[in-house]
Amino acid sequence: MNMALAILSRDVKTAFRSGGGWFYALFFFAVFTALAAIAFGPSLGALRAAAPAAVWLAAALAIQFAAADLFERDMNDGSLRVIAAEQGRLFPYWLAKSALLALTAAAPLILTAPFFLTMLGVPFAQGIGAALLLLIGAPALFFIAVLTAALSTGLRAGGLLAMIIAAPFAAPVLVFGVTATKAFFAGAALFGPEALILGALSLFMAAATPVFAIAALRVSLE
Amino acid sequence: MNMALAILSRDVKTAFRSGGGWFYALFFFAVFTALAAIAFGPSLGALRAAAPAAVWLAAALAIQFAAADLFERDMNDGSLRVIAAEQGRLFPYWLAKSALLALTAAAPLILTAPFFLTMLGVPFAQGIGAALLLLIGAPALFFIAVLTAALSTGLRAGGLLAMIIAAPFAAPVLVFGVTATKAFFAGAALFGPEALILGALSLFMAAATPVFAIAALRVSLE
Amino acid sequence: MLSRFSNPAKFEAFARGAGPVAFIVFVIGAAYGLYAGLFMAPAEKFQGDSARIMYVHVPAAWTALAAYSFIAMMSLIAFVWRHSLADVAARSAALPGVVFTGLALFTGAVWGKPTWGAYWVWDARLTSMLLLLFIYFGYMAVWQAVPETARAARFARILALVGFINIPIIKFSVDWWNSLHQTASVMRLDGPTIHPSMLWPLLAMAVAYTALFAWLVFTGMRATLIRQRLEARSARKPSRPTTVEAV
Amino acid sequence: MSPYRRAISLAAENAGCDRAGAAIVRGVTFSLGPGEGMQLFGPNGSGKSSLLSMFAGLIDLAEGVVGWRVDGAAVEAAPEAGVFFLGHEASVKPALTAEENLRFWAKASGGGDVDAALAAVDALSFRHLRAGRLSAGQKRRVDLARALLVDREVWLLDEPTAAIDRDGVKIIRKLIDDHLARGGIAVIATHDDLGDGFKRLELAR
Amino acid sequence: MSPYRRAISLAAENAGCDRAGAAIVRGVTFSLGPGEGMQLFGPNGSGKSSLLSMFAGLIDLAEGVVGWRVDGAAVEAAPEAGVFFLGHEASVKPALTAEENLRFWAKASGGGDVDAALAAVDALSFRHLRAGRLSAGQKRRVDLARALLVDREVWLLDEPTAAIDRDGVKIIRKLIDDHLARGGIAVIATHDDLGDGFKRLELAR
Ligand code: HEM
Ligand SMILES: Nc1ncnc2c1ncn2[C@@H]1O[C@H](COP(=O)(O)OP(=O)(O)OP(=O)(O)O)[C@@H](O)[C@H]1O
Ligand SMILES: Nc1ncnc2c1ncn2[C@@H]1O[C@H](COP(=O)(O)OP(=O)(O)OP(=O)(O)O)[C@@H](O)[C@H]1O
Ligand SMILES: [Mg+2]
Ligand SMILES: [Mg+2]
């Protein structure tokens, strides 16, 4: 726990200090929204129809990109080796890094989603609902991102490789995320069957990925 | 020249050897197309509307991402210092790295764009036009990517920072790229005013960025 | 069974015999299947001769799916029993798997043009096949990206297993996705009722593809094993302590 | 300088390890009891670093036995919260100052006096410099200072004197002596002989 | 071992350099003519690496004069195609083998006998290993072998013996002696005294 908290607070500090990595996901979101507006605009109707897809795709990409160098630096400068050698377990480390990603990438995205959706012509109240759905589905996206980052740590062009590996995993989340959001915008209940499946995907990824991610980190230290 | 060729051929070799970095950009495109289709699809009408934005965003992201570790490794392992100390000038080095990026990221993307656009429901002939527009606009994107990669190498803050620096520069390229492509798909002439602006942006970036990129690399060695 | 395959030398002896047999089965099966399918079987009622591409397409799709299951199974064996021959088998199945997936996609796309009027539509089956291709690519990329075989194997096992869990999820989600918004342009094929004259060539082709797959895997494994032996031969002598002195 | 709470010992019997499938080291036999240190010599590529990684549990044992004992009782792997590992790289974050880097390690392992640690490696003068700006030897000192924060009985040091100046080498020798005096054990891979008072294991190819 | 084509000399008069705005070294005065080498000593952080970077033209001169002469004629900066620079890091690409790494440097600088260079640093046994698998000292040897490919009159070496085993140190000493015998010059920042036959410059903080 000490370990996890120490890493988390150090990395948050570094993120703020060196160029604001925390701000990145948000920025990505803004660019994405602007492009969507250009592509589907100027009719608000078309924009609104495209909004669920745009917001989920933006979330998936932003989280995946933000995860790209989650472990890379610790690997290169030897800290990961030290942590593994001195702590024995890598679970606290994994936990800290996941929390970091959640705080710096997923959270800002979810919090600001309603605003960006307003720009796409979605009423604010519906935007809040969409953000709640993101909250349910984003964990799946980011556990996948953490796993693929661990798998590609230390490899050349690791970020792109991670992206390739992640795509098939992200696809189901996108499918249910978009349909849930569309259904909600069309008047269905917020927590319909799609939302339940989204939640199930998140739980499943939370349960299935840590073991594999930690195993992958260990292999990269050999 | 010896230097530039030696670096280029070494890096191409490394790219082929370690996991096929050369085809990552292509692959990224495929993944991006599939994810966009899954988010916006399956109706071909909606996909076709999303296509111009998707292809430009994919190009910008792929190039920016591929550039992320263009200088990073040479910086970390000391080769860049050796080259600067022993060669005096960094222009051949910059040239080799730019050519590398063009060959491994920009070129495969432009060449395969018509094909991926077909998958988004764009007729092949229109896809060729879109690829030509990419050819006009992509140089701007990649000179920006090289510059920001150099800047972020110096600042030791990595790929994310590069993206943030790049975004304001890349945004106009994206906007004009998307509107040009949209107009062309809607029946306008291929080389309309937006295409001219795109070309102008590319020329401007080609002229303006090398000096700054090389200066940034020098700073990072201080 | 397991122990028979656990010893690389025994396996190689087996593969030396089984490889040619598989190849012969492939040649005979494909010769019969293609001849019967292309010339003897009747043209399909609605699609005419273009439906003959079925004899290439359908078994390719089957084999592509089977190949991934094979990889996942081998990876599980390698993961649980740390069995390096299973890694070799899984790795050798990847390229044939990609080839069959690519063949299914390509022939499907070619077939799609006359029947649907487009090379590609985002139909459930097509989409999930495309995602399978991505899983294959990711798996191969990991093998490629990690130069040390022993390390690459461990990464690859992890990915193959997680990927396998993911396949039913993909299948399920994509079906769901597509069923919600049908597009008019997609002509649904509810499996043409198959006459024996079409079924036999189809089955023959399936057998031929499976034999081809087996042959490719055997050949790939033998090549890998030979390379590994060469590497082991050129490997350095281990260091040994010369002096151990007390204080 | 109170003695360590646990008495840890390490013994190897015919031990060996592999890297990427190739046999690297074979037949390593030694034993270290509380208060004993061992210098590990050997030409470049003979497997010193690999052995340290193996003791730390990062690489699997390929042959033979490696036995740990904590207060007499045998344990399977390196004892929990027992190892201090100093690798070839400096494991400092360039964006943080020397002091912040150490505060992080102190916090991560639950305590430790950062000021004392900085003083012990003569690093007070650059405590407020960002680690990215430190010289090679200064970085290495910061990494060494971690030893004084984590309070571990087993020290695994990979070329601790690399990039360190002559005064620094004396400091390191003293740190190790203090550690052994407290009942710790140390395995030190090095090309510079640190002097007497250590067991020696020489690897040859 | 034919003599170098150019006779290069380097002299500094009261020279100094800054890093990130802070004065790091001041008042450095020495002169090196063809065939002369200089060892640069000094505690960690005293500015040895900074001085080498300055001679290589990577850091600006902040004070005083640094003068280069090529065959008697004064030139402004380090002579073109005249410098071999060995930094703290090993500048090898992990994905390429030891030999491929050297072939790259040979190609980049237009020539050089890779086999001879590998043999000179006793690196033949691991020439086909990927550099990512090499041990610290093996990597360093590959980096040193570059010296024999590029045929430069000025050698700037930052701790050449770091991570190198005892036989390797002798090899390095011999490489430097040969270089000086051919009429080259060398500045060597180091903590290990390489022995007699060099000028010495001691930096103090
Ligand atoms: C790129 C496009 C296509 C892909 C990726 C694709 C993929 C597949 C796959 C994965 C299967 C095996 C499914 C299973 O056995 O459960 C299959 C079977 C089949 N495909 Fe395709 N297909 C494509 C296009 C087409 C087209 C255009 C047609 C005909 C109009 C077609 C007709 C069939 C038939 C008849 C079967 C066997 C029926 C069955 O076993 O249910 N496919 N295809
Ligand atoms: N990550 C790795 N993967 C595969 N092989 C490796 C790896 N690291 C080292 N080796 C191999 O193991 C052998 C021993 O390496 P090791 O780093 O243990 O040597 P060392 O004794 O520490 O040498 P040095 O004195 O140069 O530090 C070397 O021949 C090297 O090729
Ligand atoms: N990139 C840099 N930016 C700013 N300051 C630096 C940088 N590199 C080094 N310094 C500062 O310059 C001083 C001298 O560093 P330098 O690396 O030259 O020392 P050194 O004599 O080589 O030490 P060592 O023996 O540890 O290698 C140090 O105090 C360091 O803080
Ligand atoms: Mg070592
Ligand atoms: Mg130095």
Side-chain angles (χ1 to χ4, degrees):
Chain A
M1 261 312 72
N2 269 343
M3 179 43 98
L5 281 178
I7 296 174
L8 183 60
S9 70
R10 176 194 67 176
D11 286 355
V12 168
K13 190 194 277 181
T14 322
F16 270 86
R17 188 165 309 177
S18 57
W22 54 274
F23 160 80
Y24 159 75
L26 243 175
F27 201 92
F28 181 83
F29 212 174
V31 170
F32 205 93
T33 314
L35 276 185
I38 295 170
F40 293 98
S43 124
L44 268 188
L47 271 182
R48 204 174 301 134
V55 70
W56 277 94
L57 192 58
L61 290 173
I63 291 175
Q64 190 66 39
F65 287 151
D69 56 1
L70 204 53
F71 304 115
E72 193 71 22
R73 270 149 214 266
D74 286 350
M75 187 72 209
N76 286 340
D77 69 12
S79 341
L80 185 52
R81 182 172 300 273
V82 166
I83 290 174
E86 297 187 357
Q87 303 285 319
R89 318 168 299 143
L90 282 179
F91 181 74
Y93 178 78
W94 174 88
L95 195 66
K97 290 291 178 171
S98 302
L100 178 72
L101 188 65
L103 280 179
T104 57
L109 233 142
I110 296 171
L111 287 177
T112 54
F115 297 99
F116 288 110
L117 282 169
T118 326
M119 293 173 64
L120 297 178
V122 176
F124 193 73
Q126 291 195 357
I128 301 256
L132 285 176
L133 289 173
L134 270 180
L135 183 64
I136 299 174
L141 291 175
F142 94 64
F143 285 118
I144 296 164
V146 175
L147 171 67
T148 54
L151 272 168
S152 61
T153 298
L155 307 182
R156 218 193 81 88
L160 289 181
L161 179 62
M163 177 87 197
I164 294 170
I165 302 176
F169 292 89
V173 187
L174 283 182
V175 168
F176 290 108
V178 174
T179 47
T181 313
K182 273 190 175 159
F184 172 63
F185 285 2
L190 184 57
F191 298 108
E194 296 94 343
L196 290 184
I197 298 179
L198 264 188
L201 280 175
S202 283
L203 286 180
F204 174 76
M205 293 298 173
T209 61
V211 178
F212 292 111
I214 291 171
L217 286 176
R218 284 219 160 260
V219 176
S220 66
L221 285 173
E222 267 179 10
Chain B
M1 264 308 75
N2 266 344
M3 179 44 97
L5 281 178
I7 296 175
L8 184 60
S9 73
R10 177 195 66 177
D11 287 355
V12 169
K13 188 195 275 180
T14 323
F16 270 85
R17 182 161 319 173
S18 51
W22 56 276
F23 86 103
Y24 281 173
L26 232 175
F27 216 80
F28 175 81
F29 211 166
V31 166
F32 193 89
T33 309
L35 288 184
I38 284 169
F40 289 100
S43 128
L44 275 185
L47 279 180
R48 206 174 296 132
V55 70
W56 278 92
L57 191 60
L61 289 175
I63 292 174
Q64 190 67 40
F65 238 75
D69 57 0
L70 205 54
F71 305 116
E72 191 74 20
R73 271 151 212 263
D74 285 351
M75 184 71 208
N76 287 340
D77 68 12
S79 341
L80 185 52
R81 182 172 300 274
V82 166
I83 290 173
E86 298 186 358
Q87 302 286 320
R89 318 168 299 143
L90 281 179
F91 181 74
Y93 178 78
W94 174 87
L95 194 66
K97 289 292 177 170
S98 301
L100 178 73
L101 188 65
L103 279 180
T104 58
L109 234 142
I110 296 171
L111 286 177
T112 55
F115 175 71
F116 288 111
L117 282 168
T118 323
M119 294 181 73
L120 296 178
V122 177
F124 194 72
Q126 292 195 357
I128 302 255
L132 285 176
L133 289 173
L134 269 181
L135 183 64
I136 300 174
L141 290 176
F142 102 63
F143 285 117
I144 295 168
V146 175
L147 172 64
T148 54
L151 277 170
S152 65
T153 303
L155 299 179
R156 289 179 183 282
L160 293 184
L161 179 60
M163 288 237 182
I164 293 174
I165 303 175
F169 294 98
V173 184
L174 287 179
V175 171
F176 287 108
V178 173
T179 44
T181 313
K182 243 182 121 180
F184 172 64
F185 284 3
L190 183 56
F191 298 109
E194 293 95 345
L196 290 183
I197 299 179
L198 269 186
L201 282 172
S202 283
L203 287 180
F204 172 75
M205 294 297 172
T209 59
V211 178
F212 293 110
I214 292 173
L217 287 177
R218 284 223 159 260
V219 171
S220 72
L221 287 173
E222 265 180 10
Chain C
M1 177 74 183
L2 251 181
S3 65
R4 146 87 86 82
F5 287 102
S6 61
N7 177 334
K10 273 192 197 148
F11 168 79
E12 276 196 83
F14 168 77
R16 245 196 315 275
V21 173
F23 190 73
I24 292 168
V25 171
F26 160 66
V27 171
I28 295 176
Y32 165 74
L34 285 179
Y35 180 76
L38 297 186
F39 302 108
M40 284 161 48
E44 213 266 346
K45 205 176 356 174
F46 301 109
Q47 303 176 25
D49 281 337
S50 72
R52 292 189 194 279
I53 202 168
M54 167 172 78
Y55 302 108
V56 187
H57 168 77
V58 175
W62 286 340
T63 319
L65 296 173
Y68 192 77
S69 313
F70 177 78
I71 290 177
M73 208 170 73
M74 288 300 130
S75 300
L76 182 66
I77 292 174
F79 197 80
V80 176
W81 289 287
R82 299 208 156 197
H83 207 308
S84 66
L85 196 65
D87 284 323
V88 176
R91 180 185 196 174
S92 306
L95 188 58
V98 168
V99 171
F100 286 118
T101 313
L103 189 63
L105 282 168
F106 179 75
T107 52
V110 171
W111 198 359
K113 189 68 183 173
T115 45
W116 303 329
Y119 287 110
W120 186 265
V121 292
W122 292 92
D123 153 89
R125 190 185 257 168
L126 275 58
T127 306
S128 53
M129 200 65 174
L130 185 66
L131 290 172
L132 176 67
L133 185 72
F134 288 168
I135 293 184
Y136 269 119
F137 275 156
Y139 179 76
M140 285 175 64
V142 164
W143 271 111
Q144 279 287 310
V146 187
E148 289 88 15
T149 317
R151 248 161 37 106
R154 301 207 188 175
F155 279 130
R157 286 172 202 162
I158 293 174
L159 186 57
L161 284 178
V162 193
F164 193 61
I165 309 172
N166 199 36
I167 281 189
I169 302 181
I170 291 179
K171 182 92 185 96
F172 163 57
S173 68
V174 174
D175 282 346
W176 172 291
W177 170 59
N178 202 37
S179 67
L180 273 191
H181 15 180
Q182 277 298 334
T183 40
S185 65
V186 179
M187 188 195 108
R188 286 286 289 189
L189 265 191
D190 292 322
T193 31
I194 291 216
H195 294 287
S197 58
M198 294 161 84
L199 182 64
W200 285 114
L202 197 59
L203 286 181
M205 285 303 286
V207 170
Y209 276 24
T210 311
L212 176 62
F213 174 71
W215 179 69
L216 288 171
V217 171
F218 284 148
T219 317
M221 285 178 74
R222 282 183 61 198
T224 307
L225 289 174
I226 289 169
R227 206 178 46 239
Q228 283 180 358
R229 250 202 324 272
L230 285 181
E231 275 169 14
R233 194 174 301 158
S234 66
R236 66 201 280 285
K237 246 177 52 232
S239 325
R240 294 180 176 278
T242 50
T243 53
V244 191
E245 288 171 28
V247 183
Chain D
M1 290 292 107
S2 56
Y4 286 111
R5 264 161 298 123
R6 301 181 289 186
I8 295 189
S9 60
L10 165 64
E13 173 88 31
N14 231 349
C17 68
D18 295 356
R19 301 289 308 241
I24 297 295
V25 188
R26 284 292 179 269
V28 169
T29 302
F30 67 87
S31 79
L32 285 179
E36 288 183 329
M38 179 171 78
Q39 292 195 78
L40 202 56
F41 296 107
N44 292 138
S46 57
K48 302 181 295 300
S49 304
S50 305
L51 272 182
L52 291 182
S53 273
M54 188 182 83
F55 295 141
L58 300 175
I59 303 182
D60 289 339
L61 181 75
E63 213 185 89
V65 191
V66 169
W68 295 90
R69 289 188 170 270
V70 178
D71 293 330
V75 293
E76 279 243 320
E80 206 174 319
V83 174
F84 166 66
F85 187 91
L86 182 89
H88 267 300
E89 307 106 337
S91 69
V92 294
K93 293 289 160 200
L96 302 180
T97 67
E99 179 173 343
E100 284 168 340
N101 268 294
L102 286 180
R103 291 222 178 281
F104 159 70
W105 288 109
K107 203 165 145 199
S109 54
D113 183 345
V114 171
D115 296 291
L118 282 166
V121 296
D122 198 4
L124 288 173
S125 65
F126 52 85
R127 65 192 294 173
H128 296 306
L129 274 184
R130 289 194 320 103
R133 294 187 176 185
L134 297 178
S135 79
Q138 287 171 333
K139 268 192 207 130
R140 195 99 187 125
R141 281 167 189 253
V142 175
D143 208 17
L144 263 164
R146 286 194 301 112
L148 301 163
L149 297 174
V150 293
D151 202 50
R152 299 289 167 85
E153 295 88 346
V154 183
W155 286 14
L156 302 175
L157 312 180
D158 201 351
E159 307 200 28
T161 60
I164 294 282
D165 62 28
R166 281 163 271 176
D167 288 344
V169 174
K170 282 182 213 135
I171 293 178
I172 292 174
R173 174 73 218 229
K174 182 166 176 311
L175 289 181
I176 297 174
D177 283 344
D178 287 349
H179 166 69
L180 297 180
R182 294 176 67 195
I185 64 179
V187 183
I188 308 151
T190 184
H191 298 295
D192 295 339
D193 199 332
L194 289 175
D196 297 334
F198 298 107
K199 290 191 170 177
R200 306 165 67 93
L201 183 74
E202 182 113 30
L203 295 174
R205 288 218 264 162
Chain E
M1 289 292 108
S2 56
Y4 286 110
R5 263 161 297 121
R6 301 181 290 185
I8 294 188
S9 60
L10 165 64
E13 173 86 30
N14 229 351
C17 68
D18 296 355
R19 304 260 353 211
I24 297 295
V25 189
R26 284 293 178 266
V28 169
T29 303
F30 68 87
S31 80
L32 285 181
E36 289 184 327
M38 179 171 77
Q39 291 197 78
L40 202 55
F41 296 106
N44 291 138
S46 57
K48 302 180 293 302
S49 303
S50 304
L51 271 182
L52 291 182
S53 274
M54 190 182 80
F55 296 142
L58 300 175
I59 303 182
D60 290 339
L61 180 74
E63 213 184 270
V65 191
V66 169
W68 294 90
R69 288 187 169 271
V70 178
D71 292 329
V75 292
E76 278 243 319
E80 205 174 319
V83 174
F84 166 65
F85 187 91
L86 182 89
H88 267 300
E89 307 104 338
S91 69
V92 294
K93 294 290 159 199
L96 302 180
T97 66
E99 178 173 345
E100 284 167 340
N101 268 293
L102 287 179
R103 291 219 179 281
F104 159 70
W105 289 109
K107 201 166 148 200
S109 52
D113 182 346
V114 170
D115 296 289
L118 282 165
V121 297
D122 198 7
L124 288 173
S125 65
F126 51 87
R127 66 191 293 173
H128 296 306
L129 273 185
R130 291 194 324 101
R133 291 189 181 183
L134 298 178
S135 76
Q138 287 171 332
K139 270 192 207 130
R140 194 101 187 124
R141 281 166 189 254
V142 175
D143 207 17
L144 264 163
R146 285 195 301 114
L148 301 162
L149 296 174
V150 293
D151 201 49
R152 300 289 166 85
E153 295 89 347
V154 184
W155 285 14
L156 302 175
L157 313 179
D158 202 351
E159 308 199 27
T161 60
I164 294 282
D165 62 27
R166 281 164 272 176
D167 289 343
V169 174
K170 282 182 213 133
I171 292 178
I172 292 175
R173 174 74 219 228
K174 181 164 178 308
L175 289 181
I176 297 174
D177 284 344
D178 287 349
H179 166 69
L180 298 180
R182 294 177 66 197
I185 63 178
V187 183
I188 307 150
T190 184
H191 299 294
D192 295 339
D193 199 332
L194 289 175
D196 298 333
F198 297 107
K199 292 191 169 177
R200 305 166 67 93
L201 182 72
E202 187 104 23
L203 296 175
R205 272 195 285 170

